[in-house]
Amino acid sequence: FQIHMNPSQSTLTLEGDDIDRVDKAMQHISYLNSRQFPTPGIRRLKISSVVKCFNEEACVSIPSVEGYVMVLQPEEPKISLSGINHFARSASEFESSEGVSLFPELRIISTITREVEPEGDGDEDPTVQESLVSEEIMHNLDTCEVTVLGEELNQEQESLEIDMTRLQQKGIEMSSSSLGMIITGVDTMASYEEVLHLIRYRNWHTVSLFDRKFKLVCSELNGRYVSNEFKVEVNVIHTANPVEHANHIAAQPQFVHPVHHTFVDLSGHNLANPHPFSVVPSTATVVIVVCVSFLVFMIILGVFRIRAAHQRTMRDQDTGKENEMDWDDSALTITVNPME
């Protein structure tokens, strides 16, 4: 009994002199599809039989039999990209030779949803329904594309870069343009995570740059399964010139800690402070105290003057009343007649 198979494993030939053995061998022939996500559809097959007699010539004619194997739709994976999608870095980091990593904590996971049949015989209880279970699976990717959102990359002042040595070690290829970067090659999701962590954005002229936005999409089987669109926004933090910053502080020092200086001066523990601006609150206090004292003094003086004037008026009135009651005998002469 002999079994032959062509290199492409598309044709299987059985040879034997015992019909029963050939029949049993035919019953063990199976179709195998090693792809994790096989393409659904019909796989046609044909069985041709030849019977040879003792003179090695075909003496019996057996018609061919055609059939097919139906491959059902497999559970489609859901590829999800997640990570930090919004962060800010200083302008010096963008302008450095290393640049800024776009996907520092990127995670790639894939899940499928399966239908789980209930335990036991479902015909006994018609109310029992199949439940859906989501589980994580590992499989390969073949493409990841980074696209610039908004204006295209200005090759004279910005670029997307990656460590080509690390990329070649994994057997993955890269192509870039002003629109972004494309990474291709069949490899695991873990390897693609490592590669995407290496992508860095550089901009050596960030004076007029405030933010940049990018989009990442990964796929498998030439775009048959596509991930979600993972968008990243990076902001540029501009710092002021140190010299100008120092001059700005020196020009307006009174706004730094005004409450602190006022408390120190009023407490009397820093009277010898040579800072000219720290004396301003105490001088104002002295002026206010002097003004209030002068006002109180004027009020008291006015009260005394009013009381003195009132007393003088009362004294004048009393003197006038005494003069009215006195007899004016300056011209009075009494003559007494002694005869009477």
Side-chain angles (χ1 to χ4, degrees):
F1 192 82
Q2 296 180 351
I3 300 176
H4 303 281
M5 185 174 291
N6 65 338
S8 62
Q9 297 185 354
S10 60
T11 302
L12 178 66
T13 303
L14 302 178
E15 293 183 3
D17 54 2
D18 190 343
I19 297 178
D20 293 335
R21 294 184 61 187
V22 172
D23 188 19
K24 291 181 179 179
M26 289 287 294
Q27 295 177 8
H28 288 83
I29 296 176
S30 60
Y31 168 78
L32 176 65
N33 192 322
S34 60
R35 297 179 65 181
Q36 188 172 16
F37 304 105
T39 303
I42 295 176
R43 308 294 191 266
R44 299 187 180 278
L45 56 90
K46 182 178 181 180
I47 302 175
S48 301
S49 302
V50 177
V51 178
K52 293 182 179 180
C53 299
F54 291 102
N55 56 2
E56 296 184 356
E57 294 181 358
C59 58
V60 179
S61 176
I62 301 177
S64 299
V65 177
E66 294 185 357
Y68 64 88
V69 175
M70 174 65 73
V71 179
L72 301 179
Q73 176 70 38
E75 294 87 355
E76 295 186 358
K78 181 180 179 182
I79 306 172
S80 301
L81 308 178
S82 61
I84 301 176
N85 57 6
H86 192 183
F87 58 91
R89 297 289 185 270
S90 62
S92 59
E93 294 188 42
F94 287 92
E95 297 175 356
S96 65
S97 58
E98 296 182 355
V100 174
S101 177
L102 285 183
F103 313 105
E105 299 184 11
L106 180 70
R107 288 280 292 117
I108 304 177
I109 61 173
S110 180
T111 57
I112 60 173
T113 303
R114 300 181 182 273
E115 293 183 356
V116 179
E117 296 181 357
E119 297 181 357
D121 191 359
D123 297 336
E124 297 178 358
D125 189 358
T127 60
V128 178
Q129 298 180 354
E130 296 181 347
S131 59
L132 300 179
V133 176
S134 179
E135 60 182 19
E136 184 175 347
I137 61 172
M138 300 297 295
H139 56 89
N140 296 333
L141 301 177
D142 55 24
T143 304
C144 279
E145 182 176 357
V146 182
T147 308
V148 181
L149 299 179
E151 297 181 358
E152 298 181 4
L153 291 174
N154 187 348
Q155 304 292 344
E156 297 180 357
Q157 67 181 35
E158 59 181 345
S159 64
L160 289 175
E161 300 179 358
I162 192 171
D163 189 349
M164 295 301 299
T165 303
R166 299 274 300 275
L167 206 64
Q168 293 173 357
Q169 292 176 352
K170 292 182 174 296
I172 297 178
E173 299 179 354
M174 184 272 296
S175 61
S176 61
S177 66
S178 61
L179 298 177
M181 177 183 295
I182 300 177
I183 300 173
T184 57
V186 179
D187 209 334
T188 62
M189 294 185 295
S191 295
Y192 264 89
E193 281 186 5
E194 296 179 9
V195 170
L196 292 173
H197 290 167
L198 302 175
I199 299 178
R200 312 185 74 85
Y201 170 68
R202 285 188 61 202
N203 191 312
W204 48 91
H205 188 70
T206 59
V207 176
S208 58
L209 180 66
F210 295 95
D211 60 73
R212 252 317 194 175
K213 298 179 180 179
F214 302 89
K215 180 182 69 174
L216 173 64
V217 176
C218 295
S219 62
E220 182 188 11
L221 299 177
N222 297 322
R224 179 178 171 186
Y225 302 119
V226 183
S227 70
N228 61 307
E229 294 184 354
F230 180 68
K231 297 181 180 180
V232 175
E233 179 179 350
V234 292
N235 297 114
V236 183
I237 302 175
H238 295 278
T239 57
N241 191 330
V243 177
E244 296 178 357
H245 187 60
N247 294 337
H248 178 70
I249 294 177
Q252 297 179 347
Q254 65 271 27
F255 299 107
V256 178
H257 297 290
V259 177
H260 174 72
H261 287 302
T262 303
F263 174 76
V264 172
D265 292 333
L266 290 178
S267 62
H269 295 289
N270 195 22
L271 297 178
N273 188 357
H275 200 289
F277 297 100
S278 63
V279 185
V280 173
S282 59
T283 304
T285 304
V286 172
V287 171
I288 293 173
V289 172
V290 171
C291 292
V292 173
S293 302
F294 182 74
L295 179 61
V296 173
F297 174 74
M298 292 299 295
I299 293 174
I300 296 174
L301 181 61
V303 171
F304 277 111
R305 289 176 63 89
I306 292 173
R307 292 187 61 184
H310 179 68
Q311 292 177 359
R312 187 169 54 253
T313 303
M314 295 296 295
R315 189 168 51 251
D316 293 342
Q317 291 177 358
D318 293 341
T319 305
K321 290 180 180 179
E322 292 176 357
N323 292 336
E324 290 177 359
M325 297 181 65
D326 292 342
W327 293 95
D328 187 9
D329 56 356
S330 59
L332 180 62
T333 301
I334 301 175
T335 304
V336 178
N337 189 359
M339 294 302 292
E340 296 179 357

